[in-house]
Amino acid sequence: ELKVEQNPLFLSMQEGKNYTIYCNYSTTSDRLYWYRQDPGKSLESLFVLLSNGAVKQEGRLMASLDTKARLSTLHITAAVHDLSATYFCAVDGLANSKLTFGKGITLSVRP
Amino acid sequence: NAGVTQTPKFQVLKTGQSMTLQCAQDMNHNSMYWYRQDPGMGLRLIYYSASEGTTDKGEVPNGYNVSRLNKREFSLRLESAAPSQTSVYFCASSKSGRIKNIQYFGAGTRLSVL
């Protein structure tokens, strides 16, 4: 059974500083997705990582995938308030069309 | 672009009542999904439909039934609602190709069972 773990589950960030959050998964996969959810809203796709070593960047966020370590990282550069949200990673188990989601990491940016 | 449309947005039920949550997508996607989201639990898959005419159980299917009415529509039915089914329900769809499987989500249905 594919398990996806995210840590930490909550992160209070200071504006202007850099942070990294992690997503670990338990079985072989080379397809990983990051989603963002604002409070009370739906999930929005952020990044799609489709191979070992894949790196995607959008604004202050950069995501990478290491399939050998079964690890994805989401790096935040110079945090700003607009980045406050919950971030989910999801892994494609490849055997079917299902994604397995982590529990999500809630980021809060304080002045 | 409508994307994935869920109805209703909010619902309050009494224990034992039944209801159907509706979901429709206009992206010509093959696969559709129903999730529930509870605090601290992330998203848990209830049922999914890999293609029109097929449905499969997910992680938490007990107490639910689904119908893939056609390629566009995938409904979730609670036959006898229980307080444990109080949750936010999301429908999603994906093209489900071998390269990418990005899921697109509806706005959610907030359900309270009293």
Side-chain angles (χ1 to χ4, degrees):
Chain A
E1 180 190 349
L2 174 58
K3 293 189 187 301
V4 180
E5 293 187 357
Q6 294 186 249
N7 62 80
L9 294 183
F10 180 82
L11 183 60
S12 178
M13 304 188 294
Q14 189 170 352
E15 221 166 37
K17 293 199 169 180
N18 301 334
Y19 296 88
T20 301
I21 61 177
Y22 302 93
C23 173
N24 294 85
Y25 55 98
S26 62
T27 63
T28 301
S29 177
D30 59 359
R31 295 196 285 188
L32 189 139
Y33 306 80
W34 283 96
Y35 287 84
R36 170 181 170 141
Q37 184 180 37
D38 291 308
K41 303 292 185 183
S42 186
L43 281 81
E44 175 186 352
S45 176
L46 280 177
F47 298 111
V48 180
L49 303 168
L50 298 177
S51 61
N52 186 40
V55 177
K56 293 285 182 72
Q57 182 158 8
E58 178 76 30
R60 300 174 185 274
L61 299 178
M62 183 174 72
S64 63
L65 179 62
D66 181 345
T67 59
K68 293 177 183 175
R70 298 177 186 170
L71 171 69
S72 179
T73 60
L74 184 64
H75 186 72
I76 299 142
T77 301
V80 293
H81 180 72
D82 283 354
L83 293 179
S84 297
T86 299
Y87 293 81
F88 291 92
C89 65
V91 178
D92 192 329
L94 304 182
N96 48 46
S97 57
K98 295 191 297 184
L99 296 182
T100 299
F101 283 80
K103 287 184 165 51
I105 297 176
T106 298
L107 304 184
S108 176
V109 181
R110 65 185 188 278
Chain B
N1 292 336
V4 180
T5 303
Q6 289 183 237
T7 55
K9 288 188 168 39
F10 301 93
Q11 185 72 49
V12 178
L13 292 178
K14 294 181 180 177
T15 297
Q17 287 185 315
S18 62
M19 79 162 295
T20 300
L21 281 64
Q22 307 286 354
C23 176
Q25 52 90 10
D26 62 1
M27 296 175 281
N28 200 34
H29 284 169
N30 296 320
S31 301
M32 297 185 74
Y33 312 83
W34 277 105
Y35 294 92
R36 60 178 290 172
Q37 184 176 30
D38 302 292
M41 300 294 290
L43 269 77
R44 292 184 292 170
L45 183 65
I46 304 171
Y47 271 94
Y48 69 106
S49 172
S51 61
E52 187 179 356
T54 68
T55 60
D56 285 286
K57 295 178 180 179
E59 184 184 351
V60 288
N62 291 346
Y64 306 95
N65 285 303
V66 290
S67 295
R68 183 75 183 265
L69 303 170
N70 47 55
K71 191 171 186 179
R72 290 187 63 247
E73 298 172 287
F74 189 39
S75 63
L76 178 72
R77 182 159 178 85
L78 287 69
E79 289 291 351
S80 178
S84 61
Q85 294 178 305
T86 293
S87 188
V88 180
Y89 291 85
F90 287 101
C91 177
S93 70
S94 71
K95 192 172 183 181
S96 194
R98 291 192 59 80
I99 304 300
K100 286 185 189 180
N101 188 23
I102 300 174
Q103 293 186 11
Y104 297 86
F105 285 79
T109 296
R110 283 147 186 82
L111 176 67
S112 291
V113 183
L114 306 177

